Amino acid sequence: GAGVSQSPSNKVTEKGKDVELRCDPISGHTALYWYRQRLGQGLEFLIYFQGNSAPDKSGLPSDRFSAERTGESVSTLTIQRTQQEDSAVYLCASSLAIGRVGEKLFFGSGTQLSVL
Amino acid sequence: SQQGEEDPQALSIQEGENATMNCSYKTSINNLQWYRQNSGRGLVHLILIRSNEREKHSGRLRVTLDTSKKSSSLLITASRAADTASYFCATVPSGGSYIPTFGRGTSLIVHP
């Protein structure tokens, strides 16, 4: 596609349930990032993938959060046993290559997650 | 942790006026980027300035960088109602991780 695509755009779930968020990056972009944005706050880094290298998971807030990426394409962010504090917009971004410093990020429209 | 911090948190101006937003950061950077966000969803890249640059222009946008003060400013000239949005700076550290770190943003409202 022309841009970064995220699905679903909105997700309402009950506390304790698992959720899976999907991101389709721009074709050819080897770097993929997940960020979280709570209401009125800045972006909090979660995880990034670069090609076949081991992902940088340093931003994941707990072991309930995990993410996978298939090659250089689709990524899924999974949150297990959701808590109310997980409610936020989850943003995915891709760029050409993280090793080429200065590459700008292209963002998807995000998934608004609401945990009741 | 958030590297860049924008100031002010909120800015309200009239159409035609200039809007200035500032970003301060703490560690050495390779470059600094500004993004715009409408309605709390996806961000759009506006401009990138490298650590060896002091000023860049793009249309009505002017960005400055002062590495000695670890600060940057974004100036929007002749603002329009359509410029209403949140603006974020993102710093890319020098060496090691190239992951952009975002600040909390400045909420700009331009009144017609």
Side-chain angles (χ1 to χ4, degrees), chain B residues 45-79:
Chain B
H45 183 271
L46 295 175
I47 199 166
L48 179 153
I49 187 165
R50 302 187 190 282
S51 60
N52 61 352
E53 297 175 314
R54 291 296 166 258
E55 187 171 313
K56 281 190 87 168
H57 297 255
S58 176
R60 293 185 294 112
L61 305 181
R62 173 178 170 253
V63 169
T64 62
L65 179 65
D66 186 335
T67 53
S68 67
K69 295 181 179 179
K70 291 186 167 58
S71 68
S72 172
S73 67
L74 170 67
L75 168 68
I76 304 174
T77 60
S79 63

Side-chain angles (χ1 to χ4, degrees), chain B residues 19-52:
Chain B
T20 300
M21 288 159 269
N22 303 296
C23 172
S24 60
Y25 57 92
K26 297 177 181 177
T27 60
S28 295
I29 61 171
N30 179 284
N31 69 75
L32 185 146
Q33 304 175 27
W34 285 91
Y35 288 80
R36 167 192 167 129
Q37 182 180 43
N38 286 81
S39 304
R41 301 305 286 255
L43 281 72
V44 175
H45 183 271
L46 295 175
I47 199 166
L48 179 153
I49 187 165
R50 302 187 190 282
S51 60
N52 61 352

Side-chain angles (χ1 to χ4, degrees), chain A residues 9 35 37 41 101-102 109-110, chain B residues 30 35 37 41 48 98 100 104:
Chain A
S9 57
Y35 288 88
Q37 185 178 30
Q41 301 297 310
V101 183
S109 296
Chain B
N30 179 284
Y35 288 80
Q37 182 180 43
R41 301 305 286 255
L48 179 153
Y98 295 127
R104 297 181 186 276

Side-chain angles (χ1 to χ4, degrees), chain B residues 87-107:
Chain B
Y87 293 82
F88 293 86
C89 70
T91 52
V92 177
S94 57
S97 164
Y98 295 127
I99 299 169
T101 304
F102 289 78
R104 297 181 186 276
T106 292
S107 175

